[in-house]
Amino acid sequence: MFDSPATLAQQESNQFLQDVWQGLSSKQKYLESKYFYDENGDVIFQKIMDCSDYYLTRCEMDILKNKTAELAFPITAPGTPFDLIELGAGDASKTYFLLKHLLKSNADFVYKPIDISGHILDVLEDNLSQQLPNLKVAPCEGDYFQALDRICQTSNRRKIVLFLGSNIGNMQLDESESFCQQMAHHLNPGDFAIVGFDLKKNPKTILKAYDDDEGVTSEFNLNLLHRINRDLDGNFDLKQFEHYQNYDPLTGACRSFLVSLTEQTVTIAGRDFYFAKDEAIYMEVSQKYSPEDIDELAERSGFKTVSHCYDHKKWYMDAIWKVI
Ligand SMILES: C[S@@+](CC[C@H](N)C(=O)[O-])C[C@H]1O[C@@H](n2cnc3c(N)ncnc32)[C@H](O)[C@@H]1O
């Protein structure tokens, strides 16, 4: 028996409310960054990708455009059909280059993009149906592993998982390890994962990427307060919160916060939350890695490193891992 779409939407909304209440009643207030991506958040994130300071997209685009054969080789070498599953696919604007290459090589595969935002999956499907009309696409809306479970239950072809865009950076280090272990657990020995990591580099370059002059990252963070107002009957005054970003070169953690500019009480679905002046809500981490950190993560999670694909500046790496 399947839940009706109305029931699922209700469950998601209840979960959103529970998560927001829990985050804002913690000693260190936080909000979960997966909730950034409503329709408006998707549009703002596409603006971030175009920002001159946000180098990550251009670096990974460089890899996807110029190292396509290197990325594709381990995927196509066995010569058998496969599912190409992308976790948090977004608009797939970079993946497009790999998909085009795989189609040209006559690889037998279905592209299965997973994303928590149904809206961005519609954008992806529209774009790809025009750009690559012969591509078989089966989008899957949902949280990473809920959606991956559904895919694994319905197909026993070999699997290649893409996890690009430094999405892994949006996890604490211990979380990323258990995430990669879970990813390996869903795959079979010989399957591959390609994971995008932003590398440690000049701290000022990193900080600027998340503290852009155009204020787009600020808009992206504040949009989550707007979403809470709209979807959870909240009354955040967006003018009373300010985006603050910091980067710690010792740990590689780049963190974003929203700081309350005044003492205030915010009500969300009938529950009050007190904010002291200058109190910060922790919004998101964007973790930076060294190549050694990445190899160790692979080893600890049940993968063997096959190769490192860098952009020409060596600011970013797509690591190719094989399940052992
Ligand atoms: C930083 S964007 C990157 C998009 C894409 N990977 C790229 O490289 O351009 C993160 C994407 O992951 C999705 N996402 C975030 N958390 C998710 C989750 N828990 N489950 C599924 N998708 C998620 C968002 O909706 C968004 O489209």
Side-chain angles (χ1 to χ4, degrees):
M1 184 73 177
F2 291 106
D3 287 329
S4 70
T7 323
L8 277 178
Q10 189 57 46
Q11 282 168 358
E12 280 166 16
S13 165
N14 288 345
Q15 189 61 53
F16 181 26
L17 180 63
Q18 293 311 318
D19 289 343
V20 167
W21 274 357
Q22 181 171 328
L24 295 184
S25 51
S26 294
K27 194 162 175 223
Q28 168 56 66
K29 292 186 173 61
Y30 68 89
L31 290 170
E32 288 186 40
S33 63
K34 67 179 177 184
Y35 293 117
F36 280 147
Y37 300 92
D38 63 347
E39 189 165 338
N40 211 13
D42 291 338
V43 172
I44 306 171
F45 185 72
Q46 287 180 303
K47 271 181 11 190
I48 290 180
M49 292 201 291
D50 286 337
C51 274
S52 53
D53 294 324
Y54 192 77
Y55 59 83
L56 287 82
T57 306
R58 283 190 305 283
C59 289
E60 199 169 41
M61 187 69 97
D62 179 8
I63 300 173
L64 269 292
K65 265 187 181 171
N66 300 311
K67 302 264 172 88
T68 333
E70 202 177 313
L71 292 172
F73 177 72
I75 303 179
T76 51
T80 49
F82 59 92
D83 289 330
L84 183 66
I85 301 163
E86 180 159 9
L87 302 176
D91 65 6
S93 49
K94 288 169 288 171
T95 313
Y96 159 79
F97 294 96
L98 178 62
L99 297 168
K100 190 168 128 190
H101 180 98
L102 292 171
L103 282 179
K104 251 185 152 178
S105 337
N106 290 320
D108 180 359
F109 72 105
V110 181
Y111 175 51
K112 301 187 172 175
I114 291 174
D115 207 288
I116 201 162
S117 162
H119 164 258
I120 201 72
L121 286 176
D122 291 343
V123 172
L124 173 152
E125 242 188 323
D126 277 358
N127 290 347
L128 290 180
S129 66
Q130 288 173 33
Q131 297 166 323
L132 302 171
N134 295 328
L135 180 72
K136 292 181 212 152
V137 188
C140 200
E141 183 180 340
D143 216 314
Y144 296 130
F145 289 116
Q146 283 168 5
L148 189 56
D149 278 343
R150 291 204 295 275
I151 291 175
C152 290
Q153 278 162 22
T154 51
S155 159
N156 55 11
R157 301 197 298 179
R158 69 189 177 89
K159 297 191 171 32
I160 316 297
V161 172
L162 304 177
F163 193 37
L164 305 180
S166 185
N167 285 25
I168 194 157
N170 300 137
M171 297 171 198
Q172 311 281 357
L173 287 170
D174 54 342
E175 271 180 278
S176 61
E177 186 173 330
S178 62
F179 186 92
C180 292
Q181 283 167 352
Q182 228 180 313
M183 189 160 69
H185 189 71
H186 279 82
L187 304 175
N188 291 311
D191 286 346
F192 289 92
I194 302 182
V195 187
F197 293 91
D198 191 21
L199 300 178
K200 289 175 178 163
K201 61 182 69 61
N202 187 298
K204 287 186 183 166
T205 306
I206 291 176
L207 192 56
K208 197 89 184 106
Y210 299 89
D211 207 9
D212 59 286
D213 290 335
E214 292 126 279
V216 189
T217 317
S218 166
E219 188 188 346
F220 186 59
N221 279 272
L222 287 167
N223 179 59
L224 180 45
L225 304 191
H226 174 67
R227 181 179 184 184
I228 293 170
N229 284 351
R230 187 195 57 212
D231 295 350
L232 302 179
D233 194 19
N235 67 354
F236 277 108
D237 179 353
L238 270 58
K239 288 191 289 305
Q240 295 302 337
F241 287 87
E242 186 177 60
H243 171 237
Y244 168 73
Q245 191 77 31
N246 76 9
Y247 174 63
D248 177 359
L250 294 180
T251 61
C254 188
R255 294 195 170 88
S256 54
F257 301 88
L258 286 176
V259 178
S260 173
L261 295 178
T262 184
E263 184 181 5
Q264 55 185 318
T265 298
V266 174
T267 308
I268 298 163
R271 186 164 161 189
D272 287 344
F273 296 93
Y274 169 79
F275 290 80
K277 181 175 180 321
D278 297 327
E279 185 175 355
I281 314 174
Y282 169 41
M283 302 295 284
E284 183 173 54
V285 64
S286 298
Q287 180 67 39
K288 309 303 163 193
Y289 287 81
S290 69
E292 296 73 30
D293 297 333
I294 297 168
D295 288 351
E296 281 167 24
L297 177 60
E299 245 175 65
R300 287 198 306 268
S301 327
F303 290 97
K304 173 177 169 277
T305 300
V306 175
S307 67
H308 296 154
C309 293
Y310 293 98
D311 64 301
H312 75 278
K313 285 183 176 164
K314 284 205 154 188
W315 279 8
Y316 194 95
M317 183 206 286
D318 280 330
I320 306 182
W321 294 347
K322 189 175 188 172
V323 183
I324 43 179

